[in-house]
Amino acid sequence: MAIVKVKKITFIVHKSEKDELVDTLQEAGIVHISDIKEDPDFKNLPEVKEKKVESTNPEIEYTLSRIRRVIEFFNQFDTKKGFLETFFEIKPEITEDDLKTVSQRYDYKRTLSRVEEIEKRLTEIKNLEVNLQSKIDSLRKWYDLDLPLEEIGESEKVEIIAGTVPINNEEELKKIEGIETSVVSLDSRFTYTLIVFLKEDAARIKNELLKIGFEQVDFRGMKGRPRELIEKYKKEIEKLEEERIKQTEEARKLAQEKLNLLIVYDYLSNINSKYRVSGQGIETKATFLVLGWIKEKDLKKVDKIVKKFDSATYIVADPGPEDNPPTFIDNKKSIKPFELLTKLYGLPNLREVDPTPLLTPFFAVFFGLCLTDAGYGISLIILSLLLMKKLGKMQFLVVLLYGGITSIFAGAMTGSWFGDLFTSLPIPFLHQFRNSLLLFDPMVNPMPFFYLSLAFGLLQVELGLLVGFYKRVKNGEFLDGLANELSWFFMLLFVILAYLISSKSGKSFGDVLFHSGFIGYLMAFFIFAPIALIIFLSGGTSGSFIVRVVKGLYNLYGVTGYVGDLLSYVRLMALGMVTAGIAMSINIVAKLVLPVPYIGIILAILIFIGGHLFSIIINVMGAFVHSLRLQYVEFFTKFYDNGGYEFKPFSIEGYYTEIKK
Amino acid sequence: MSGLYIAMIGAAMAAFMAGIGSAIGIGYTGRAASGVLSEAPDMFGRLFLLVALPGTQGFYGFIIALFIILKVGLLGTPKAITIYQGLELLAASLPIAFAGLLSAIHQGKVCAAGIDLTAKRPDQAMKPVIYGAMVETYAVLGFLTSFFLMINIKI
């Protein structure tokens, strides 16, 4: 309903003015550029087919990726993130002027290369440290060896080797002839042993050592006694550690320039997107041509843009049948926040209806029924107002605010104020206040809540069917609409009406229809005529009569689906009861700790506040998810096919920052 | 008096079976989300809903347990419960006990898959939540059945 009309616009300009045109379009921010290669009017032209345009600037792309890396590296120095920031993304605000001035003044290339050096050095240091530490670990067992390590190995006549022997095989070691051994240290599994033998026996002895599980340790490249070496390595690690701290400190200082880097990133990425847009157009011998979509109301502004150029002109056209224009939905300010929910599902295409105004009242009411607590409603309003103050007027928070308001009504209606708080406190005024607003108490008599949920379900399903019918008529499919949506609409309505009358009056269902005079027959007509329509018409127009009727009968079987849809709305009641139950249990526990001497009252208050805060989060979550599900699964399926994509005008955008005009 | 024991078994089953289900379900989602966070720590907020979603069954079971406890007066002076009343209360606890146990486990698997999806396409965080809510429907129905059974038992 509120889908904004868009038109296709094609700009033609002399090649020499191409860059200015792209600049101007970006600044204006009103045209959604689309690729000329995919446009049905142009894509078959030989020039377009063969076009090869660099769509981005590799040098800028490279710089952008370097900046991204450095920003990620800087993130470790961020002051601790607030609780809110883990849930919401908060971008720093800058102006368009900042974008240019900061990027020109700030020597980001120097920062980038310095940070990259530091990062590289830090990795090196880490590797060196690991290496040294593993050397220390391997030397530790040889600490008591009073022999410079370079002397291990072969000399003129003798050979010295060092290694480990499994502790069980020590006896066998002693049995080997022609060796001198010296145990340096031992642990629960090995002895760390030095073995000396004559070189001429080497082959035999090594073979025998192998048999008893001897493993040689390699000290090549190490000079000095183990204890000296360990000291030396420890000192080296200390030095590296000092350097690491120094380097990190410098990086931490550089990280203070992070905001500047964010700005440069956005500046460069906006330049990059100009290359992208140029690539989506095409150059001929003398002209540059680019096309896109524009909102009808923005067409006035185009003349102003074109006037700046000597050679520019433009063509406006309505979207043709082959076109797939982007969608821009625009609603009244009061329901605009709920566009969020539509976008989550997927935007409508041009032939669709914007479901936002339809889902808004239902979502708000359902949310309230799921939460069903006036105390929680008030808390939710306060919480979302506080968050808005900190984070700005985010759509999500406005939706929560609406939900808080409906929760107050639902809670007052069912007498739920922080669960059963008002009835469990011995304050008569609160009892009277609660009871004066009370419509029914679901803890005593849950059935009204049950029927209320079903009634809302019927209302929404029926509305969905009507909208579906409207959509079919709009697209010239009146008969299909009559045989499907409209038939179901009347059948559901009158079956339920007749059932209600029969249960109220005590007459049987058949008597209500056929023995109640004209009104009865009228109801019977609206039940059986739709059934006939579904059987004979809903099977489509192709295929033989039998096939169509079988299809129609199968469609009639869809009644189980409608029963399921209606029952699905009972979740409104279930979630309302769960809220009341959790809240009541918190109150009970708070009451139980009250008799604890001295600190009882404090404990009770802590449990009350903490418990209800937790319960609000849990139940708001449930209320949101389930209200949304009812829109998507039960409501949208009756009329809505998403298939649109978002209208995103080519403009100056911030990736890391929020750019204010 | 012996009916009280049977009613207590009912309350216990509602709470512990649905609770086990939720614990296993969040076990799946928590592990999947931690895996994602190791690569992208900023996703915590976006994944929160998917991680917490299988937790609701435990609450449904707890609420039914609480209603049974209140009904037999365990928090004050216990009422005289016949064996038949006890059996009725036990029967009332079964829908949420079993629907809660199994739906929470499967919801956990659905949500863990949703976490993988969100990790790859962060803009799609809300769609897997809807799939999770589809599984939850049957826990809600179990809760409602337990609730209606229990509310109509006369003591």
Side-chain angles (χ1 to χ4, degrees):
Chain A
M1 269 167 210
I3 297 178
V4 173
K5 276 213 172 102
V6 293
K7 300 231 174 199
K8 193 196 280 186
I9 188 162
T10 313
F11 290 93
I12 305 155
V13 72
H14 188 262
K15 242 158 83 169
S16 61
E17 288 185 313
K18 166 180 154 186
D19 291 340
E20 285 101 297
L21 176 74
V22 174
D23 276 355
T24 321
L25 286 178
Q26 187 178 36
E27 230 144 83
I30 52 174
V31 184
H32 175 113
I33 305 289
S34 64
D35 197 339
I36 202 159
K37 265 190 161 168
E38 279 153 27
D39 188 85
D41 300 340
F42 287 94
K43 69 178 173 197
N44 291 324
L45 297 180
E47 295 96 319
V48 176
K49 269 189 179 165
E50 285 158 21
K51 123 187 139 113
K52 263 187 227 135
V53 188
E54 279 300 316
S55 60
T56 49
N57 181 324
E59 197 188 326
I60 294 184
E61 290 259 293
Y62 177 60
T63 313
L64 285 173
S65 78
R66 279 175 73 195
I67 301 182
R68 258 199 312 269
R69 244 187 89 96
V70 168
I71 287 173
E72 261 165 42
F73 176 71
F74 279 168
N75 281 342
Q76 59 178 307
F77 302 115
D78 275 354
T79 42
K80 215 179 145 223
K81 266 191 175 182
F83 177 70
L84 284 178
E85 274 130 273
T86 56
F87 285 92
F88 301 100
E89 199 182 355
I90 303 173
K91 295 178 179 177
E93 274 183 26
I94 61 162
T95 64
E96 246 172 64
D97 293 333
D98 287 342
L99 213 54
K100 220 171 191 162
T101 50
V102 170
S103 307
Q104 280 163 358
R105 218 184 44 221
Y106 175 55
D107 188 3
Y108 63 90
K109 290 208 167 127
R110 204 186 58 88
T111 311
L112 285 186
S113 35
R114 185 70 199 117
V115 173
E116 279 161 2
E117 273 168 33
I118 293 176
E119 211 190 341
K120 202 175 142 212
R121 183 66 192 146
L122 284 175
T123 331
E124 274 171 18
I125 291 175
K126 203 176 171 191
N127 289 340
L128 285 175
E129 279 184 346
V130 169
N131 198 359
L132 285 173
Q133 192 58 51
S134 73
K135 275 186 184 168
I136 292 179
D137 289 343
S138 67
L139 279 179
R140 200 153 270 157
K141 294 290 179 194
W142 304 92
Y143 190 84
D144 291 329
L145 179 64
D146 199 15
L147 180 79
L149 290 177
E150 63 264 31
E151 286 181 18
I152 293 178
E154 296 176 34
S155 61
E156 227 175 286
K157 287 236 168 107
V158 293
E159 186 173 348
I160 306 174
I161 57 174
T164 58
V165 181
I167 210 148
N168 313 336
N169 294 353
E170 222 181 338
E171 288 304 312
E172 271 137 83
L173 179 68
K174 281 179 186 158
K175 282 180 202 157
I176 298 176
E177 272 171 41
I179 57 169
E180 276 306 314
T181 63
S182 152
V183 174
V184 179
S185 67
L186 60 113
D187 59 23
S188 57
R189 289 165 58 211
F190 299 106
T191 59
Y192 297 79
T193 314
L194 210 60
I195 302 172
V196 187
F197 47 85
L198 287 173
K199 258 168 100 175
E200 52 196 54
D201 293 335
R204 173 184 61 86
I205 289 172
K206 277 186 181 168
N207 194 18
E208 278 179 50
L209 284 174
L210 206 64
K211 275 187 200 148
I212 61 165
F214 176 80
E215 261 181 65
Q216 194 172 346
V217 177
D218 191 2
F219 289 120
R220 259 174 302 177
M222 295 193 194
K223 281 198 173 110
R225 293 179 168 76
R227 85 184 57 164
E228 292 158 8
L229 275 175
I230 289 178
E231 282 309 303
K232 196 177 127 206
Y233 292 151
K234 275 189 176 162
K235 276 207 182 106
E236 274 175 45
I237 288 183
E238 263 169 42
K239 250 197 204 153
L240 286 172
E241 195 66 10
E242 265 169 39
E243 193 192 343
R244 196 177 64 87
I245 290 170
K246 238 173 78 189
Q247 298 272 9
T248 314
E249 224 19 70
E250 192 186 345
R252 191 190 302 279
K253 271 203 194 107
L254 284 170
Q256 288 168 354
E257 296 170 22
K258 184 175 159 193
L259 179 62
N260 285 343
L261 270 188
L262 301 180
I263 295 171
V264 173
Y265 183 90
D266 282 354
Y267 175 73
L268 289 177
S269 77
N270 275 312
I271 293 179
N272 200 31
S273 65
K274 279 194 254 186
Y275 283 100
R276 205 191 62 237
V277 163
S278 307
Q280 288 179 330
I282 186 167
E283 269 182 45
T284 62
K285 262 183 205 153
T287 61
F288 170 69
L289 204 141
V290 67
L291 59 84
W293 300 93
I294 187 166
K295 287 181 239 167
E296 216 170 21
K297 67 177 170 106
D298 284 337
L299 276 174
K300 298 184 285 240
K301 299 183 191 160
V302 175
D303 279 324
K304 239 192 195 165
I305 294 175
V306 172
K307 250 184 224 159
K308 282 196 203 166
F309 298 92
D310 297 329
S311 61
T313 181
Y314 67 92
I315 306 161
V316 177
D318 281 320
E322 279 184 66
D323 277 318
N324 183 19
T327 312
F328 186 83
I329 51 174
D330 192 18
N331 287 290
K332 271 187 246 148
K333 220 182 149 201
S334 52
I335 58 171
K336 191 144 192 85
F338 290 85
E339 284 177 3
L340 174 75
L341 307 180
T342 306
K343 283 180 189 163
L344 274 176
Y345 188 81
L347 280 167
N349 64 32
L350 267 202
R351 284 162 280 279
E352 284 282 337
V353 178
D354 174 16
T356 313
L358 301 169
L359 72 81
T360 299
F362 285 110
F363 184 87
V365 170
F366 291 175
F367 188 97
L369 286 175
C370 288
L371 203 53
T372 321
D373 192 294
Y376 286 7
I378 294 167
S379 313
L380 188 58
I381 290 174
I382 294 170
L383 279 176
S384 42
L385 284 176
L386 282 177
L387 284 175
M388 269 185 221
K389 226 176 163 187
K390 277 205 106 165
L391 305 171
K393 219 174 161 191
M394 286 172 56
Q395 290 189 327
F396 173 67
L397 296 176
V398 183
V399 171
L400 286 188
L401 186 75
Y402 278 55
I405 296 169
T406 50
S407 304
I408 295 179
F409 284 106
M413 188 176 81
T414 54
S416 199
W417 299 80
F418 290 106
D420 60 347
L421 181 69
F422 283 10
T423 41
S424 59
L425 285 178
I427 305 171
F429 166 73
L430 289 180
H431 286 232
Q432 284 161 13
F433 176 70
R434 171 187 182 269
N435 291 338
S436 66
L437 295 172
L438 183 73
L439 269 182
F440 63 90
D441 188 344
M443 287 293 167
V444 181
N445 179 15
M447 290 323 279
F449 206 169
F450 184 74
Y451 294 130
L452 186 72
S453 301
L454 284 180
F456 271 115
L458 184 65
L459 191 66
Q460 194 177 32
V461 168
E462 293 283 70
L463 180 71
L465 288 171
L466 277 187
V467 179
F469 177 64
Y470 165 81
K471 197 183 107 183
R472 296 248 201 190
V473 172
K474 209 178 88 176
N475 293 334
E477 304 166 353
F478 174 80
L479 271 186
D480 283 331
L482 179 72
N484 290 293
E485 282 81 5
L486 204 62
S487 296
W488 283 111
F489 173 81
F490 281 114
M491 195 171 98
L492 286 179
L493 187 64
F494 282 95
V495 165
I496 287 169
L497 198 66
Y499 172 77
L500 285 181
I501 293 173
S502 88
S503 62
K504 267 267 181 305
S505 62
K507 283 188 197 171
S508 76
F509 194 74
D511 283 348
V512 171
L513 294 185
F514 302 113
H515 302 282
S516 312
F518 177 68
I519 294 193
Y521 289 122
L522 198 66
M523 285 197 288
F525 172 76
F526 275 114
I527 291 170
F528 290 104
I531 291 178
L533 281 172
I534 291 166
I535 292 175
F536 293 111
L537 264 184
S538 73
T541 45
S542 58
S544 70
F545 179 74
I546 305 284
V547 171
R548 277 183 285 160
V549 169
V550 171
K551 261 193 197 168
L553 282 171
Y554 178 73
N555 286 345
L556 192 64
Y557 180 68
V559 72
T560 52
Y562 285 95
V563 172
D565 283 353
L566 289 181
L567 285 177
S568 183
Y569 286 84
V570 182
R571 77 182 65 232
L572 295 175
M573 173 211 182
L575 286 160
M577 303 302 299
V578 168
T579 313
I582 296 177
M584 185 165 78
S585 62
I586 291 162
N587 292 342
I588 289 172
V589 175
K591 226 178 180 173
L592 282 177
V593 299
L594 210 50
V596 177
Y598 307 118
I599 55 163
I601 181 87
I602 301 170
L603 269 181
I605 290 172
L606 281 181
I607 288 172
F608 182 82
I609 294 176
H612 282 298
L613 203 62
F614 170 76
S615 161
I616 288 173
I617 293 171
I618 283 283
N619 286 300
V620 162
M621 207 176 83
F624 192 89
V625 168
H626 285 281
S627 310
L628 198 61
R629 177 226 139 99
L630 287 175
Q631 312 304 320
Y632 288 175
V633 182
E634 272 75 23
F635 189 43
F636 278 8
T637 47
K638 305 292 176 294
F639 68 94
Y640 188 64
D641 302 306
N642 61 327
Y645 61 103
E646 199 175 1
F647 179 88
K648 270 193 184 150
F650 171 46
S651 61
I652 297 175
E653 279 178 291
Y655 179 76
Y656 283 118
T657 60
E658 187 88 46
I659 300 165
K660 295 266 157 177
K661 287 245 166 185
Chain B
M1 265 301 272
S2 54
L4 186 61
Y5 302 129
I6 301 169
M8 282 166 80
I9 291 173
M13 277 178 75
F16 83 73
M17 288 182 68
I20 288 173
S22 279
I24 295 175
I26 297 187
Y28 289 129
T29 58
R31 266 177 285 170
S34 299
V36 174
L37 289 190
S38 67
E39 288 283 318
D42 291 343
M43 299 278 279
F44 179 78
R46 226 168 288 173
L47 295 180
F48 183 80
L49 204 53
L50 280 167
V51 174
L53 209 54
T56 42
Q57 280 87 343
F59 283 98
Y60 298 157
F62 172 70
I63 300 298
I64 294 298
L66 182 80
F67 281 145
I68 293 177
I69 289 168
L70 289 176
K71 198 151 191 136
V72 298
L74 269 179
L75 285 181
T77 40
K79 291 173 189 159
I81 310 283
T82 67
I83 288 176
Y84 293 110
Q85 286 169 331
L87 284 171
E88 282 171 359
L89 286 167
L90 175 63
S93 76
L94 294 181
I96 188 55
F98 283 95
L101 173 68
L102 294 170
S103 73
I105 293 172
H106 286 282
Q107 196 178 28
K109 289 179 182 168
V110 170
C111 289
I115 287 166
D116 291 347
L117 165 68
T118 311
K120 284 180 191 134
R121 309 198 46 183
D123 52 320
Q124 303 289 313
M126 210 55 205
K127 284 169 194 172
V129 172
I130 298 301
Y131 291 144
M134 285 182 172
V135 184
E136 174 124 345
T137 302
Y138 304 99
V140 171
L141 294 180
F143 169 79
L144 273 175
T145 313
S146 283
F147 180 76
F148 279 123
L149 288 173
M150 192 211 47
I151 209 94
N152 290 317
I153 294 167
K154 301 276 173 294
I155 288 177

